[in-house]
Amino acid sequence: MHADALVLLGAESMEIPSTWVRPGAAIIRCESALSSKLNCKLKKNGSNYLTLKLNFKENTSNINVVQSCSRWLQEQQYRPWHLHPLKLQPLSPVPSDIEISRAQTPKPINQLAAEIGLLPEELEAYGRSKAKVRLSLLDRLHSRPDGKYVLVAGITPTPLGEGKSTVTIGLVQAMSAHLKLNSFACLRQPSQGPTFGVKGGAAGGGYAQVIPMEEFNLHLTGDIHAITAANNLVAAAVDARMLHEATQSDKALFKRLVPSVNGVRKFSPIQISRLQRLGIHKTDPASLTPQEVAAFSRLDLDPSKITWHRVVDTNDRFLRAITIGQASTEKGQTRETGFDIAVASEIMAILALSDNLGDMRSRLARMVVGTSRSGEPVTAEDLGVSGALAVLMKDAIKPTLMQTLEGTPVFVHAGPFANIAHGNSSVLADKLALKLVGQDGFVVTEAGFGADIGMEKFFNIKCRASGLKPNVVVLVATVRALKMHGGGPNVSAGAPLPREYIDENLSLVAGGCHSNLRKQIHIAKLFGVPVVVALNAFRTDTPAEIDLVCQIAKECGASDAVSCLHWSQGGRGSLELARAVKEAARQPTNFQFLYNTEMPLVEKIRTIAQKVYGADDVEVTPEVQRKIDYYNQQGYGSLPICMAKTHLSLSHLPDKKGAPTGFVLPIRDIRASIGAGFIYPLVGTMSTMPGLPTRPCFYDIDIDPITEEIIGLF
Amino acid sequence: MHADALVLLGAESMEIPSTWVRPGAAIIRCESALSSKLNCKLKKNGSNYLTLKLNFKENTSNINVVQSCSRWLQEQQYRPWHLHPLKLQPLSPVPSDIEISRAQTPKPINQLAAEIGLLPEELEAYGRSKAKVRLSLLDRLHSRPDGKYVLVAGITPTPLGEGKSTVTIGLVQAMSAHLKLNSFACLRQPSQGPTFGVKGGAAGGGYAQVIPMEEFNLHLTGDIHAITAANNLVAAAVDARMLHEATQSDKALFKRLVPSVNGVRKFSPIQISRLQRLGIHKTDPASLTPQEVAAFSRLDLDPSKITWHRVVDTNDRFLRAITIGQASTEKGQTRETGFDIAVASEIMAILALSDNLGDMRSRLARMVVGTSRSGEPVTAEDLGVSGALAVLMKDAIKPTLMQTLEGTPVFVHAGPFANIAHGNSSVLADKLALKLVGQDGFVVTEAGFGADIGMEKFFNIKCRASGLKPNVVVLVATVRALKMHGGGPNVSAGAPLPREYIDENLSLVAGGCHSNLRKQIHIAKLFGVPVVVALNAFRTDTPAEIDLVCQIAKECGASDAVSCLHWSQGGRGSLELARAVKEAARQPTNFQFLYNTEMPLVEKIRTIAQKVYGADDVEVTPEVQRKIDYYNQQGYGSLPICMAKTHLSLSHLPDKKGAPTGFVLPIRDIRASIGAGFIYPLVGTMSTMPGLPTRPCFYDIDIDPITEEIIGLF
């Protein structure tokens, strides 16, 4: 019959002859069961079969079942959104980001949600312009084919940044508001620290922004605050536990850990799971031997081997290295440690890589906080805190829906560091967005830093975790950065730009194209994904410079190369890019990882260093080798690699621009994020806590007490 | 004519003969003006006249004006709510708090909001069960008379707490759901730290709870996270500024503080306000003398006199005393300091006392962070950070609407410490609630600790700031606490209760009534407010014990004394209390403050010690006297007093139960919260950072990854 879909009524399972349906069709088996209300839940059953579990009232007729099934089938189809874009009338000169954001009134977020096919019960509004989206959406649209998956990466940037976020937003504004293609941007949530320090906003800029930009840049829906709370609960638990172990006998500890409630001692579930990890398969506290009591009660953490840091979401450099426990109540148990900025927490990386609540709960449990005196890793689960962490993070796991200046949808979710972590927005936001846009739609997601870092991690870490396959890479370049790679003078924040960057200089541009741009295109193609180069055009770029970049980019293997003017024009300025991406997405991809995780750790590091960075080899110190041996012994050897390297050069030396060769990459240290699920080698020192300059930007920030308008924010 | 209200059309002002209208009637004068849209805004004009400013379109007829006026007049009237209570079917034995909370499905928060007369545009939903309420409500209902204002306080408690929150919630459940009186509970937001440490929840308990209790006890709408961010931005600014001042010349500092942007140097508004405080009335940076440049650029903070602490909302005892700045990047500028729990931040006290956004902005600006080497106080405004703080706190200033188990409204807003701060929920929540209930309605608000502390501060600090006058005090007592005050053995958390507290013992009960209960009733009556004693009845209380308490309470001057069973029965168990409060609210009050703020600081402290605590006198050390002299010199002498005293005794000695006399109250230290607006003398040491016990409650807390149900939370 070659049906598009087949619905089987009745509780029994059966084999369907493959000639009954067309290849790829949905096959649905209905099970009837008694329940107080109709409730559809879909489960994947092997690779071809789907089980639609319908619980309906006793008097529900088969007609209702068929209606439910047909409604469900409709939901899985691609449907163009009935999106009402917001009109944009760009001014010249382009006003400040906050002025542009304030001049546009966002649609009520529930209206936007309805336009893109979300059900009211899938939305949790946070004020009028932001909402969390429930993960149940993934169940409802389980069988809807995913849209096209586009990654925005960049060439090696100047310290000023080359505008990946604005390109991302400009691209979806062009696709959704002008080409009427369903499209979604997935962005990282920025740290609040730099908002009051030195950096600009992260909501895009000019006429390619997420609005309201102050909501984006401030508390948003509290996810980073939840991470801070969870991270610091682990830290408090570590130090309090060490104090209690240092001041109590085994027996006293045990009596407190397993207290008598109404005369009965019972292990909590999290304690039973610790007993099992210790190989003690008992459930009655009274039956433990004194040795077992000691093993259970003492984590025996080595104070000099605690790796867990506290975090704050503030640029507070004086917390980089501190001594804690100096009050008399802590009985002399002082210890040196430090704070990182909140987004550097492993919990942020976990949020970004989790696939569902259960997966996040397991990752949180696996986090290693330090090592015992006998050399065993001690986890959050050993501390008994992992359930509480999952409770603190239960809302943070839901992506936040916002909108662009042109009223098109954006997910903001997670923002891990791009050096000590993988620097990508969340797997869950991408997955929700891919279902919402449907098979002819586009999801544009962004990776931190240059393509050698953010894109490599996107492919090897994020796509490995998610199982998703990207269709197109958009590689963002600027004439400014290309000139720098072509041999132009130093570019640094705060200092005026040298003349070379303002006047036409084709030879510097060509130099940058033939070195860094060529190399970054080749890196993307290593993974089997077509590349479109997006030249983020500045006012000072000349037509000849722009043409030269586009021409060389195509010679180097880019499917297409176009310039874009989203910053001054909004989506209209990125139409050419949108068309080029749409075209490139038609090409067949041959996506592949760069390495197999079963390779030895050093081999994986060497593969990245040689194939991506262009190094001759890597250099591993004996101390790093000892740590690698320890990781192998603990069973961490098959985790992927997350390089912590400078983003200012393809090499480990920030000053080496272009495409350096003939260098050996030194691995100075190596660490593990077991909950997030990667090993991170350190190539140089990475700052995980920014500081405030003499005149932080908070000097200009204020709020009008009558109109409640914010001023001075970028 | 004796009209109820009079609307005068036309731009001219005029005097209205008082015979035209009945006493107390609203008199409205309309001013016409051209504007693009109709926009009503009401202003109080002297004590009797009201100005209604109507901006209407050119073609708006007088009819429209009259309609607007009549709509406005209707809004100012009292209207009983059309509240749909949630049905409660209490089980016996009473299940755990989280089980009771989970068994009840809350109304959608926008439905509750509509039932109590909020407009959709006044609501900012945070998920389905919480919403922030905009302060514009106060403008709209400006002329609606306030409801009755009821304070719930308690006798001196045992360390187990005597249930003020449950009484508060039970009372509004009884009033709103059973007696059909408009009524609102205003509660404090609890710290998240203890949720994972040792303390129980703060959402009430049993069948008198705020639901969903896990939302109440966890992040809520992020207010405490906002306070943490604001508090720690100040701290980061303090240390970064000291570092920059220590490493730069006056000239270099000035050039960075007032940078050249496109060749022009300009002061920001916050810098101009610093110049003015320094007596430098210039606006051109180039015109400053070298002395003025130095005075402007150097706060010259004395590192040993920084009073500002960092905060986290975690029970992290190892942060009580720490040394910061030990990384090499901080160039040896180490300093000893500490963290407090977030709710101990002065910013929390400011949130609770602010009247509007502008008032909060000014209080934040006035916060003193330390002293300069020349002895001058240095403020947040001097650091240039106060505008940014107001931006961080712009949503936190809006109270959060939730509901009780019976679907009646609750505001949750602010939760300052009850010792180093005033321990009361926010002025703004009370004001919004008083307008929403209207003149025949009731607002029940709660004060921390015993009446000697929470109630005294409610009257002398909170009511002074708000201008509100309370109608009734509900004084919560338990047979357990009364027996303790009557001479019963020690009660301590964790240890089993001695027999005296389980068996009937009328002489201990009588002893407690004649000492502590009598004294606390008298304290309330000092302020001229009638008292209703609410005996929070336990399963073990006998009828004779209950009768005895009620009888003695009335003999001691209580208007009424009743027992209540809200914990096991919900609102139905508090009907008698509700009727007693309604009756007491009919009595005339003669509210007065205990002291005039113009009295010298020591006199104000002595007044509280003698009249409230029963002390013979106070003892002031020379060091405290030196600080008092300094406060007087700085102009802080007329601030009210916020005593930091143990809550476990009327005296400063926690073991002295009953109503101690014959003691001298020692003032060990004295500090100032200039932004919040009070001086706080310390009577003994106060812990501002709790710790985690050997087995924190997080061992039992977890989440079901499929149903998302939280388990083990109280």
Side-chain angles (χ1 to χ4, degrees):
Chain A
M1 12 204 275
H2 289 290
D4 278 351
L6 192 68
V7 180
L8 306 176
L9 301 178
E12 292 305 306
S13 157
M14 64 180 289
E15 295 265 329
I16 311 292
S18 60
T19 52
W20 281 22
V21 289
R22 67 161 174 76
I27 300 176
I28 304 157
R29 182 164 58 82
C30 295
E31 289 175 36
S32 62
L34 298 180
S35 167
S36 62
K37 54 177 184 172
L38 194 67
N39 174 20
C40 301
K41 195 162 175 82
L42 195 79
K43 271 178 62 188
K44 200 159 197 172
N45 184 5
S47 57
N48 282 318
Y49 286 71
L50 295 169
T51 306
L52 178 65
K53 197 169 173 188
L54 281 175
N55 300 323
F56 50 83
K57 289 184 186 154
E58 258 186 303
N59 59 359
T60 309
S61 69
N62 281 350
I63 304 244
N64 282 352
V65 175
V66 171
Q67 281 174 345
S68 296
C69 291
S70 90
R71 195 182 320 130
W72 175 83
L73 279 169
Q74 274 175 15
E75 281 187 338
Q76 311 308 315
Q77 309 298 314
Y78 171 77
R79 280 178 296 186
W81 295 335
H82 299 292
L83 194 80
H84 292 87
L86 300 175
K87 285 240 159 56
L88 208 58
Q89 291 178 305
L91 301 177
S92 178
V94 175
S96 75
D97 289 354
I98 183 89
E99 284 168 318
I100 292 175
S101 172
R102 216 162 54 198
Q104 188 72 300
T105 304
K107 284 185 277 198
I109 198 69
N110 49 355
Q111 181 192 328
L112 174 64
E115 288 175 1
I116 61 173
L118 281 159
L119 304 179
E121 61 267 28
E122 287 164 347
L123 207 68
E124 295 175 1
Y126 278 64
R128 274 135 209 289
S129 52
K130 330 181 275 285
K132 284 196 166 282
V133 174
R134 294 194 168 172
L135 305 185
S136 60
L137 177 77
L138 287 176
D139 287 334
R140 179 169 67 88
L141 299 185
H142 180 275
S143 291
R144 185 187 279 186
D146 284 350
K148 304 288 186 186
Y149 196 27
V150 179
L151 177 77
V152 175
I155 65 166
T156 302
T158 69
L160 311 177
E162 311 313 311
K164 287 193 307 291
S165 300
T166 59
V167 169
T168 303
I169 297 162
L171 177 55
V172 294
Q173 286 181 193
M175 285 182 152
S176 291
H178 299 270
L179 299 186
K180 309 296 171 198
L181 294 167
N182 293 359
S183 80
F184 231 110
C186 291
L187 296 179
R188 291 167 293 163
Q189 183 189 355
S191 167
Q192 204 169 250
T195 303
F196 299 100
V198 278
K199 208 184 142 278
Y207 285 100
Q209 283 193 61
V210 181
I211 56 169
M213 69 88 94
E214 65 273 28
E215 305 281 321
F216 184 99
N217 283 303
L218 295 173
H219 309 286
L220 199 69
T221 49
D223 295 352
I224 293 180
H225 296 320
I227 289 168
T228 304
N231 183 98
N232 291 348
L233 182 58
V234 175
V238 164
D239 282 299
R241 182 63 175 250
M242 287 197 294
L243 175 71
H244 293 305
E245 288 191 21
T247 53
Q248 293 176 44
S249 68
D250 292 356
K251 218 173 136 184
L253 269 176
F254 188 73
K255 275 171 89 171
R256 286 200 175 86
L257 285 169
V258 193
S260 167
V261 177
N262 300 327
V264 183
R265 288 188 197 279
K266 254 179 74 177
F267 291 118
S268 71
I270 208 166
Q271 292 179 323
I272 297 210
S273 102
R274 169 161 168 82
L275 284 171
Q276 285 169 346
R277 282 196 306 286
L278 293 170
I280 305 170
H281 300 285
K282 298 180 178 175
T283 52
D284 175 13
S287 68
L288 264 60
T289 66
Q291 289 73 23
E292 287 169 343
V293 164
F296 169 80
S297 305
R298 289 200 183 277
L299 304 183
D300 201 26
L301 274 160
D302 182 339
S304 70
K305 290 191 178 154
I306 306 294
T307 48
W308 196 260
H309 270 202
R310 287 164 174 82
V311 300
V312 281
D313 197 23
T314 310
N315 284 12
D316 194 349
R317 52 191 292 168
F318 275 75
L319 296 180
R320 285 171 183 160
I322 65 173
T323 298
I324 60 169
Q326 295 178 320
S328 60
T329 47
E330 279 55 74
K331 299 164 186 168
Q333 307 268 314
T334 62
R335 183 168 77 78
E336 284 180 34
T337 181
F339 276 73
D340 297 327
I341 189 114
V343 290
S345 169
E346 182 174 350
I347 298 178
M348 176 57 100
I350 288 176
L351 178 67
L353 289 169
S354 294
D355 211 42
N356 55 59
L357 186 56
D359 180 37
M360 182 174 73
R361 166 77 179 73
S362 314
R363 288 172 183 269
L364 292 167
R366 287 198 296 269
M367 296 187 306
V368 172
V369 301
T371 311
S372 73
R373 287 196 174 81
S374 61
E376 294 299 309
V378 175
T379 64
E381 187 84 349
D382 289 321
L383 287 164
V385 77
S386 30
L389 302 182
V391 167
L392 280 167
M393 294 289 293
K394 77 179 173 61
D395 293 315
I397 198 173
K398 302 168 201 161
T400 297
L401 179 68
M402 292 187 75
Q403 65 195 283
T404 66
L405 271 173
E406 299 193 48
T408 78
V410 175
F411 272 137
V412 190
H413 201 215
F417 259 44
N419 45 39
I420 62 158
H422 65 292
N424 279 263
S425 70
S426 84
V427 163
L428 277 167
D430 290 359
K431 286 196 166 178
L432 290 172
L434 285 164
K435 290 297 176 201
L436 283 167
V437 298
Q439 69 184 346
D440 294 337
F442 288 81
V443 171
V444 185
T445 192
E446 185 200 347
F449 288 173
D452 52 315
I453 302 179
M455 181 180 72
E456 183 270 311
K457 294 176 183 184
F458 172 80
F459 289 140
N460 281 321
I461 297 176
K462 184 175 174 183
C463 288
R464 212 185 291 262
S466 70
L468 296 172
K469 292 195 170 116
N471 298 89
V472 180
V473 166
V474 172
L475 190 68
V476 178
T478 60
V479 165
R480 178 176 70 195
L482 289 168
K483 284 177 173 173
M484 176 186 75
H485 290 298
N490 245 353
V491 175
S492 64
L497 266 187
R499 287 243 52 95
E500 286 84 344
Y501 295 96
I502 294 157
D503 301 337
E504 179 172 284
N505 190 321
L506 295 173
S507 79
L508 287 182
V509 170
C513 289
H514 284 299
S515 59
N516 196 270
L517 180 64
R518 173 191 299 272
K519 175 69 181 168
Q520 300 280 21
I521 292 171
H522 286 178
I523 296 170
K525 294 180 70 77
L526 271 183
F527 293 88
V529 183
V531 181
V532 173
V533 170
L535 183 71
N536 184 13
F538 291 3
R539 203 171 36 82
T540 47
D541 299 349
T542 68
E545 288 176 332
I546 291 171
D547 290 347
L548 185 62
V549 176
C550 295
Q551 177 208 321
I552 303 178
K554 284 183 261 188
E555 288 167 13
C556 294
S559 302
D560 205 346
V562 298
S563 71
C564 29
L565 295 164
H566 47 273
W567 186 78
S568 55
Q569 296 182 11
R572 193 170 300 281
S574 285
L575 277 173
E576 216 186 330
L577 175 63
R579 291 197 191 98
V581 169
K582 191 182 167 194
E583 195 52 40
R586 289 185 216 264
Q587 294 179 32
T589 61
N590 179 29
F591 176 65
Q592 56 189 14
F593 299 123
L594 194 64
Y595 55 80
N596 185 310
T597 51
E598 294 311 316
M599 279 166 57
L601 287 169
V602 173
E603 275 314 299
K604 288 185 271 196
I605 298 170
R606 183 175 288 119
T607 302
I608 295 170
Q610 292 177 335
K611 294 204 181 162
V612 178
Y613 306 158
D616 287 344
D617 201 353
V618 296
E619 185 189 307
V620 173
T621 64
E623 176 55 23
V624 168
Q625 188 56 55
R626 263 194 301 278
K627 283 185 155 184
I628 288 176
D629 295 342
Y630 174 76
Y631 293 153
N632 284 329
Q633 176 205 325
Q634 293 298 334
Y636 306 153
S638 59
L639 290 174
I641 299 296
C642 183
M643 299 296 288
K645 181 182 79 73
T646 177
H647 62 296
L648 296 172
S649 167
L650 277 158
S651 77
H652 58 290
L653 302 162
D655 293 338
K656 292 222 169 189
K657 304 301 182 187
T661 53
F663 63 94
V664 171
L665 193 79
I667 309 302
R668 300 188 201 276
D669 195 1
I670 190 163
R671 295 180 197 157
S673 283
I674 301 304
F678 51 70
I679 301 290
Y680 63 102
L682 287 129
V683 181
T685 51
M686 298 295 140
S687 169
T688 47
M689 175 57 92
L692 291 176
T694 304
R695 186 191 195 283
C697 30
F698 60 61
Y699 269 92
D700 300 309
I701 300 174
D702 212 328
I703 187 166
D704 183 311
I706 304 303
T707 63
E708 298 185 21
E709 264 181 8
I710 292 176
I711 43 185
L713 196 64
F714 317 125
Chain B
M1 359 200 286
H2 290 288
D4 279 350
L6 192 70
V7 179
L8 306 175
L9 300 179
E12 291 306 305
S13 158
M14 62 180 291
E15 295 263 332
I16 310 294
S18 60
T19 52
W20 281 21
V21 289
R22 67 160 174 76
I27 300 175
I28 305 158
R29 182 166 56 81
C30 294
E31 287 176 36
S32 63
L34 297 179
S35 168
S36 61
K37 53 177 183 170
L38 192 67
N39 175 20
C40 301
K41 195 159 173 84
L42 195 78
K43 271 178 62 188
K44 200 159 198 170
N45 185 6
S47 57
N48 282 318
Y49 286 71
L50 295 169
T51 306
L52 179 65
K53 196 169 171 186
L54 279 174
N55 300 321
F56 50 86
K57 287 181 187 159
E58 257 185 305
N59 59 357
T60 308
S61 70
N62 282 352
I63 303 240
N64 283 352
V65 176
V66 172
Q67 281 174 344
S68 295
C69 292
S70 91
R71 196 181 318 128
W72 174 83
L73 278 169
Q74 274 176 12
E75 281 188 338
Q76 312 307 313
Q77 308 298 313
Y78 171 77
R79 281 177 296 186
W81 296 334
H82 299 292
L83 194 79
H84 292 87
L86 299 174
K87 284 239 161 55
L88 208 58
Q89 291 177 305
L91 300 177
S92 177
V94 175
S96 76
D97 289 354
I98 182 90
E99 284 168 319
I100 292 174
S101 172
R102 213 161 55 199
Q104 188 73 301
T105 305
K107 284 185 277 198
I109 198 70
N110 49 355
Q111 181 193 328
L112 174 65
E115 288 174 1
I116 62 173
L118 281 159
L119 304 179
E121 60 268 28
E122 287 165 348
L123 208 68
E124 296 176 359
Y126 278 65
R128 274 135 211 285
S129 51
K130 333 182 272 285
K132 283 196 166 284
V133 175
R134 294 192 170 173
L135 306 185
S136 59
L137 177 76
L138 287 176
D139 287 334
R140 180 170 65 90
L141 300 184
H142 180 275
S143 291
R144 185 187 279 187
D146 284 349
K148 304 287 186 185
Y149 196 28
V150 179
L151 176 76
V152 175
I155 64 167
T156 302
T158 69
L160 311 177
E162 311 312 311
K164 286 194 307 291
S165 300
T166 60
V167 169
T168 302
I169 297 163
L171 176 56
V172 294
Q173 289 181 191
M175 285 183 151
S176 291
H178 299 271
L179 298 186
K180 310 294 172 200
L181 294 167
N182 294 357
S183 81
F184 231 110
C186 291
L187 297 179
R188 290 168 292 163
Q189 184 190 354
S191 166
Q192 203 169 251
T195 304
F196 299 101
V198 277
K199 207 183 145 279
Y207 286 100
Q209 283 192 60
V210 181
I211 57 171
M213 68 89 93
E214 66 271 27
E215 305 282 320
F216 184 99
N217 283 304
L218 296 172
H219 309 287
L220 199 70
T221 49
D223 295 353
I224 294 181
H225 296 319
I227 289 168
T228 304
N231 184 98
N232 291 347
L233 181 59
V234 175
V238 165
D239 282 300
R241 181 63 175 250
M242 287 198 295
L243 174 71
H244 293 304
E245 287 190 21
T247 53
Q248 293 175 45
S249 69
D250 292 356
K251 217 172 136 186
L253 269 177
F254 188 74
K255 277 172 87 170
R256 286 201 174 87
L257 285 170
V258 193
S260 164
V261 177
N262 300 328
V264 183
R265 289 189 196 277
K266 255 179 74 176
F267 291 117
S268 69
I270 208 165
Q271 291 179 325
I272 297 211
S273 104
R274 172 163 166 80
L275 284 170
Q276 285 170 345
R277 280 195 307 287
L278 292 169
I280 305 171
H281 301 284
K282 298 180 177 176
T283 52
D284 175 12
S287 68
L288 265 59
T289 67
Q291 289 73 24
E292 288 171 341
V293 163
F296 169 81
S297 306
R298 291 200 181 275
L299 304 183
D300 200 27
L301 274 159
D302 183 340
S304 70
K305 289 189 178 157
I306 306 294
T307 48
W308 196 259
H309 270 202
R310 287 166 174 83
V311 300
V312 280
D313 196 22
T314 310
N315 283 13
D316 194 349
R317 54 189 294 165
F318 275 74
L319 297 180
R320 284 171 184 160
I322 64 172
T323 298
I324 60 168
Q326 295 178 321
S328 60
T329 47
E330 278 57 71
K331 299 165 187 166
Q333 305 269 312
T334 62
R335 182 168 77 78
E336 284 178 35
T337 181
F339 276 72
D340 297 327
I341 189 114
V343 291
S345 170
E346 181 174 352
I347 298 178
M348 175 58 99
I350 287 175
L351 177 67
L353 289 168
S354 293
D355 212 42
N356 56 58
L357 186 56
D359 180 36
M360 182 174 74
R361 166 77 177 73
S362 315
R363 289 172 182 267
L364 292 167
R366 286 198 298 269
M367 296 188 306
V368 172
V369 302
T371 312
S372 73
R373 287 196 174 82
S374 62
E376 293 300 308
V378 175
T379 64
E381 187 84 350
D382 288 321
L383 287 165
V385 77
S386 30
L389 301 182
V391 167
L392 281 167
M393 294 289 293
K394 76 178 173 62
D395 294 314
I397 198 173
K398 303 169 200 159
T400 298
L401 179 68
M402 291 187 76
Q403 65 195 284
T404 66
L405 272 173
E406 300 192 47
T408 77
V410 175
F411 273 137
V412 190
H413 201 215
F417 259 44
N419 45 39
I420 62 158
H422 66 293
N424 280 265
S425 70
S426 84
V427 163
L428 277 166
D430 290 0
K431 286 196 166 177
L432 290 171
L434 285 164
K435 290 298 176 201
L436 283 167
V437 298
Q439 69 184 346
D440 293 338
F442 287 82
V443 171
V444 185
T445 191
E446 186 200 347
F449 289 175
D452 52 316
I453 302 178
M455 182 181 70
E456 183 271 311
K457 294 177 182 181
F458 172 80
F459 289 139
N460 282 321
I461 299 176
K462 185 175 173 183
C463 289
R464 212 185 291 262
S466 69
L468 296 172
K469 292 195 169 114
N471 298 88
V472 180
V473 166
V474 171
L475 191 68
V476 178
T478 59
V479 166
R480 179 177 68 194
L482 289 168
K483 284 177 172 173
M484 175 187 75
H485 290 298
N490 245 353
V491 174
S492 64
L497 267 187
R499 287 242 54 94
E500 286 84 345
Y501 294 96
I502 294 157
D503 301 336
E504 179 172 284
N505 190 323
L506 295 173
S507 80
L508 288 181
V509 170
C513 289
H514 284 299
S515 59
N516 196 270
L517 180 64
R518 174 190 302 272
K519 175 70 180 165
Q520 299 281 22
I521 292 171
H522 287 178
I523 296 170
K525 292 179 73 76
L526 271 183
F527 293 88
V529 184
V531 181
V532 172
V533 170
L535 183 72
N536 184 12
F538 291 3
R539 203 172 38 82
T540 48
D541 299 350
T542 68
E545 288 176 332
I546 291 171
D547 290 346
L548 185 63
V549 175
C550 295
Q551 179 207 319
I552 304 178
K554 284 182 262 188
E555 288 167 13
C556 294
S559 301
D560 205 346
V562 297
S563 71
C564 29
L565 295 164
H566 47 272
W567 186 76
S568 55
Q569 296 182 12
R572 193 171 299 281
S574 285
L575 277 173
E576 217 185 328
L577 175 63
R579 291 198 190 95
V581 168
K582 192 183 167 194
E583 196 51 41
R586 289 185 214 265
Q587 295 179 33
T589 60
N590 179 28
F591 176 65
Q592 56 190 10
F593 299 123
L594 193 63
Y595 55 81
N596 186 307
T597 50
E598 295 311 315
M599 279 165 57
L601 286 169
V602 173
E603 276 314 300
K604 288 184 270 195
I605 299 170
R606 184 176 287 117
T607 303
I608 295 170
Q610 292 176 334
K611 295 206 181 161
V612 178
Y613 307 157
D616 287 343
D617 201 353
V618 295
E619 185 189 308
V620 172
T621 66
E623 174 57 22
V624 168
Q625 188 57 55
R626 262 195 301 278
K627 282 185 156 183
I628 288 175
D629 294 342
Y630 174 74
Y631 294 152
N632 285 329
Q633 175 205 324
Q634 293 298 333
Y636 307 153
S638 59
L639 290 173
I641 299 296
C642 183
M643 300 294 288
K645 182 183 79 73
T646 177
H647 61 297
L648 297 172
S649 167
L650 277 158
S651 77
H652 59 289
L653 301 162
D655 293 338
K656 293 221 171 189
K657 303 302 180 187
T661 54
F663 62 95
V664 172
L665 193 79
I667 309 300
R668 299 188 200 276
D669 195 0
I670 190 163
R671 295 181 196 157
S673 283
I674 301 304
F678 50 70
I679 301 290
Y680 62 103
L682 287 130
V683 181
T685 52
M686 300 292 143
S687 170
T688 48
M689 175 56 93
L692 290 176
T694 304
R695 186 190 193 284
C697 32
F698 60 61
Y699 268 94
D700 300 310
I701 299 173
D702 212 329
I703 187 166
D704 182 313
I706 304 302
T707 63
E708 297 185 22
E709 264 181 8
I710 292 177
I711 43 185
L713 196 64
F714 317 126

